[in-house]
Amino acid sequence: VGLCLRSGTTLWAPLIGLNYEIARPSYLYFLLTDETIRLGIEHDMKKLYLGKSNERVKQRHGFHLEERWLCYRARSGLLNRLFSWVMPMIQP
């Protein structure tokens, strides 16, 4: 199964899932990845996002990793102060 979502000129394909025992002999994962890229090209997409798994396969196609970030604001002021104190210590 593959999930592709179009947003303007961006194709989001965060999920390509399959039964590995069945798919392995036919290289189905690679075929689905190739076809997703082809779909993006055929529909004149300017950007393709294919998720973070199987980085080596995607890098061979010219993809690169992009940093992600998350913001969470707790309802408790005390908890927010605790997060602002702890987060700098655990970030690389």
Side-chain angles (χ1 to χ4, degrees):
V1 65
L3 172 65
C4 294
L5 304 168
R6 180 180 179 173
S7 176
T9 59
T10 301
L11 181 68
W12 295 87
L15 171 71
I16 295 177
L18 43 89
N19 180 324
Y20 289 96
E21 294 302 316
I22 295 171
R24 190 169 286 124
S26 67
Y27 298 100
L28 184 58
Y29 177 80
F30 302 102
L31 264 164
L32 285 171
T33 301
D34 290 348
E35 288 303 314
T36 302
I37 294 167
R38 188 182 327 274
L39 179 74
I41 293 168
E42 287 175 1
H43 287 86
D44 201 29
M45 297 290 106
K46 303 299 180 205
K47 289 185 179 181
L48 303 173
Y49 292 96
L50 268 68
K52 289 184 69 172
S53 64
N54 288 321
E55 296 166 17
R56 271 188 287 153
V57 172
K58 292 172 184 165
Q59 286 175 349
R60 288 182 195 150
H61 286 291
F63 286 84
H64 62 275
L65 291 177
E66 289 192 9
E67 239 181 81
R68 293 184 187 184
W69 55 272
L70 171 72
C71 177
Y72 177 76
R73 187 115 178 123
R75 291 179 189 243
S76 163
L78 178 62
L79 194 53
N80 283 323
R81 285 191 296 278
L82 178 66
F83 280 145
S84 66
W85 180 73
V86 171
M87 290 305 291
M89 292 187 284
I90 62 172
Q91 290 179 345

